[in-house]
Amino acid sequence: MSAVLVEREEPIAVVLLNRPEALNALNDEVMGELVEALEELDREDGIRCVVLGGSERAFAAGADIGQMAEASAMDMYEARRIDRWDALRRVRTPLVAAVSGYCLGGGCELAIACDLIVASETARFGQPETGLGIIPGAGGTQRLTRAIGKAKAMDVILSGRFLDAEEAERAGLVARVVAREAWLEEAKAVARAIASKGPVAQRLAKESVNRAFESTLETGLDFERKALYLAFASEDAGEGLKAFTEKRKPEFRGR
Ligand code: DAK
């Protein structure tokens, strides 16, 4: 059985972590299949947004603790596990995390690495790594802090406290909280809305927003301006602007 399930519902795709017996703990198999699936979808013209989810009980309860318990520091280093996380950063297609239930440790880092999080009211976010004697290692101390600020990030990381969906939304970690039974459908609706816009513009906008976290304001504004000129040069921009003046729906080709 695959550790990751992929369904294409063009123009979106749904990727579900499929290791329910271990609450979708991210072992090498899950991470390998996940990155492979996302890279493949990223190359497909017909896919314009991807939903990444788990099960109702757990998005993912973290990296696989059993696997980590057996690994030495050199094993971790040699296995180049971090390369897989870097590969996620290179995915250009917008990624919507659909989070229901536990979203912990590496699972929380995976959700944050997506572009936005749609959370069920059952979602629980946490970084309990220090309770295991380690620290978040896939961006948790950096991306979580940028997302929710130092005070809350310190609380979550040092005390191990979980944030429920409402608090995570108030803190700025979650974009929308939805009813427990609708977590996946609502995330798909968000993905379809994203997929209906100009694909070139969406990718440039995603890259541009991410720059806000990685550069000074001046560098970010400069990047945004150049990305806008690039968007202007796309066929999609010609189509989108013309369609508005002709009072019809645009037909974007992602060119
Ligand atoms: N790993 C492996 N198995 C896990 C797991 C995990 N993270 N979380 C749960 N499971 C397994 C349990 O062992 C149990 O398996 P069986 O005993 O049935 O065989 C099954 O899933 C159901 O879990 P529970 O019986 O514990 O269920 P409960 O409802 O009682 O509790 C829980 C749910 C989520 C509160 C509990 O399972 C729990 O505390 N889980 C561990 C949460 C945690 O500490 N997560 C952080 C892991 S450290 C790196 C990148 C990232 C990371 C590391 C390196 N590099 C790039 C190098 C990230 C590190 C982490 O995420």
Side-chain angles (χ1 to χ4, degrees):
M1 207 165 65
S2 288
V4 163
L5 305 174
V6 180
E7 267 193 41
R8 289 167 175 79
E9 300 174 18
E10 290 191 8
I12 70 167
V14 180
V15 175
L16 295 179
L17 306 178
N18 186 36
R19 208 187 159 211
E21 72 286 358
L23 305 185
N24 291 327
L26 304 168
N27 61 9
D28 279 339
E29 199 187 346
V30 175
M31 283 305 292
E33 284 188 30
L34 173 63
V35 168
E36 213 173 285
L38 292 177
E39 286 181 333
E40 192 178 324
L41 292 168
D42 201 31
R43 287 191 293 268
E44 293 181 20
D45 279 349
I47 301 299
R48 294 177 176 175
C49 187
V50 177
V51 173
L52 172 58
S55 67
E56 195 176 327
R57 189 169 168 214
F59 177 77
D64 190 289
I65 297 173
Q67 205 167 56
M68 281 190 295
E70 286 165 14
S72 69
M74 277 317 289
D75 291 338
M76 301 272 261
Y77 180 70
E78 295 286 340
R80 306 187 70 109
R81 291 197 174 121
I82 204 68
D83 291 1
R84 298 212 175 102
W85 294 86
D86 289 342
L88 290 175
R89 288 176 62 203
R90 289 193 290 273
V91 173
R92 291 172 153 197
T93 309
L95 300 176
V96 175
V99 175
S100 176
Y102 293 113
C103 185
L104 306 175
C108 189
E109 291 169 310
L110 179 60
I112 301 173
C114 293
D115 299 308
L116 61 104
I117 300 176
V118 175
S120 157
E121 54 201 358
T122 65
R124 297 285 176 276
F125 298 87
Q127 300 283 167
E129 285 91 338
T130 59
L132 299 167
I134 57 175
I135 72 165
T141 63
Q142 303 302 302
R143 289 203 188 97
L144 184 71
T145 307
R146 282 171 162 85
I148 68 177
K150 178 180 167 182
K152 280 232 184 275
M154 283 289 190
D155 186 6
V156 167
I157 292 167
L158 298 187
S159 80
R161 182 168 79 86
F162 295 171
L163 301 181
D164 65 21
E166 294 290 342
E167 188 176 4
E169 187 189 29
R170 278 200 307 277
L173 184 62
V174 159
R176 307 188 196 188
V177 179
V178 299
R180 69 160 54 212
E181 63 284 357
W183 64 279
L184 190 52
E185 279 315 310
E186 291 282 351
K188 285 201 237 176
V190 172
R192 280 191 291 269
I194 291 172
S196 71
K197 317 287 184 202
V200 174
Q202 295 290 50
R203 290 174 174 212
L204 290 171
K206 162 175 170 159
E207 214 181 323
S208 208
V209 172
N210 280 331
R211 284 297 158 118
F213 290 99
E214 292 159 8
S215 56
T216 62
L217 181 60
E218 196 182 349
T219 309
L221 288 171
D222 199 39
F223 182 88
E224 178 192 78
R225 213 157 296 146
K226 291 189 173 116
L228 170 66
Y229 296 141
L230 192 55
F232 258 119
S234 68
E235 283 177 28
D236 282 356
E239 167 64 7
L241 298 167
K242 193 155 155 250
F244 181 85
T245 60
E246 293 173 357
K247 300 191 188 301
R248 61 174 173 82
K249 272 183 80 175
E251 280 177 36
F252 294 118
R253 296 180 55 240
R255 296 273 182 269

